[in-house]
Amino acid sequence: MATYIALTHITEQGMRSIKDTTKRGEAVKAAAGKFGAKVKDLYWTLGQYDLVAIIEAPDEVSATAFGLTISASGNTRSETLRAFSGEEMQAVLVKMG
């Protein structure tokens, strides 16, 4: 499974129902399974981003479909980063020759 980090902003729509944000977080975790993904961790943060999620998905297509489905609700907008473990990065370096 590949790891992804989603850096998320809550939209104006999401702010109108901010008191439901933890319930929406649980719903997002449940929805991940439909895409073969898992939300490993979800944090509400202070600063530039409102939420940070650590997600595992089998591939980029699944991760993208999951992210787009969540964003389509209109409550959040995310920037998703592919994250590499030390082992995965070592494989990249080996491939460099």
Side-chain angles (χ1 to χ4, degrees):
M1 294 268 262
T3 302
Y4 300 86
I5 300 171
L7 305 173
T8 305
H9 297 282
I10 298 174
T11 64
E12 286 184 41
Q13 175 182 309
M15 287 303 293
R16 285 194 290 273
S17 59
I18 192 64
K19 290 184 178 182
D20 294 330
T21 190
T22 55
K23 290 177 189 171
R24 284 195 302 263
E26 290 304 316
V28 166
K29 288 179 181 180
K34 176 181 174 185
F35 301 91
K38 178 182 179 188
V39 178
K40 288 183 61 177
D41 291 300
L42 181 61
Y43 300 98
W44 284 260
T45 58
L46 301 175
Q48 185 176 354
Y49 300 98
D50 301 311
L51 296 139
V52 175
I54 311 300
I55 302 159
E56 288 184 340
D59 52 52
E60 282 75 18
V61 171
S62 299
T64 302
F66 173 54
L68 289 173
T69 299
I70 298 309
S71 290
S73 73
N75 293 310
T76 60
R77 290 290 176 258
S78 296
E79 177 181 349
T80 304
L81 311 169
R82 171 63 164 93
F84 296 88
S85 67
E87 184 178 298
E88 290 169 321
M89 190 62 204
Q90 186 59 43
V92 169
L93 298 172
V94 167
K95 203 162 219 173
M96 289 175 64

